Amino acid sequence: MAFLPDVINDLAAGPLGDFLAAQASPAGALMRTDISENATDYRLEIELPGFSKKDIHLQLKDGYLIVSAKKSESEEEPKAGRQYLRRERAVESCSRTFYVGKELLATDVKAKLSNGVLTLTIPKEIETPKGEEFIEISE
């Protein structure tokens, strides 16, 4: 399986990385990701503060792992005697895509959400290819 962390680092170190850094948005800052590995698997730790399990969608499609999160706007009114002057927390959405190889199955990926950090564990050795699948997040 090719996870391609070197390609990501190479792109980030060159002119493309400078361009992407200049184009960064506040939504992109929500999904800061640490990627590590050991002898058997890769681990992605993705910051998603304020998002619950139901807000996060994980999908495998054509060799890519797509992580997206969206909070819907709340129509709740402020507490009695208060009114909003500015609302910055109403709607948030963000998405990241990682190439993980076409042989990865949804059952191969372990996902856990704890304290605003989504941890994905992806094995290095995969057996059979498959199409599009969805991944469930455990408590």
Side-chain angles (χ1 to χ4, degrees), residues 3-4 6 16 33 42 44 63 67 72 81 85 87 90-91 99-100 102 112-113 115 122 124 126 136 138:
F3 189 77
L4 300 180
D6 292 332
L16 179 60
T33 303
Y42 296 102
L44 283 75
V67 181
S72 299
L85 300 176
R87 290 193 71 184
V91 176
Y99 183 77
V100 293
K102 291 186 178 188
K112 180 181 178 185
L113 181 65
N115 297 323
I122 302 169
K124 288 184 174 182
I126 307 298
E136 187 174 322
S138 67

Side-chain angles (χ1 to χ4, degrees), residues 4 8 45 57 66 81-82 89 94 107:
L4 300 180
I8 294 169
E45 294 175 316
H57 182 75
I66 303 163
R82 303 196 64 83
R89 302 183 307 150
C94 50
T107 55

Side-chain angles (χ1 to χ4, degrees), residues 32 35 37 62 68 72 78 85 100 110:
R32 291 185 296 186
I35 302 172
E37 68 175 315
D62 299 326
S68 56
S72 299
L85 300 176
V100 293
K110 305 297 180 229

Side-chain angles (χ1 to χ4, degrees), residues 47-69:
E47 287 185 358
L48 289 167
F51 288 94
S52 69
K53 179 179 164 181
K54 67 177 177 54
D55 298 329
I56 302 169
H57 182 75
L58 304 173
Q59 180 181 11
L60 285 174
K61 185 174 182 181
D62 299 326
Y64 289 89
L65 171 62
I66 303 163
V67 181
S68 56

Side-chain angles (χ1 to χ4, degrees), residues 9 11 13 23 26 47 88 105-106 114 139:
N9 291 335
L11 289 173
Q23 302 300 316
E47 287 185 358
E88 294 182 346
L105 301 173
S114 177
E139 292 292 326

Side-chain angles (χ1 to χ4, degrees), residues 71-101:
K71 281 198 272 186
S72 299
E73 184 171 338
S74 172
E75 295 296 327
E76 71 182 55
E77 292 296 319
K79 294 184 179 169
R82 303 196 64 83
Q83 66 181 19
Y84 286 114
L85 300 176
R86 180 178 175 132
R87 290 193 71 184
E88 294 182 346
R89 302 183 307 150
V91 176
E92 294 179 42
S93 68
C94 50
S95 180
R96 295 274 314 256
T97 302
F98 303 92
Y99 183 77
V100 293

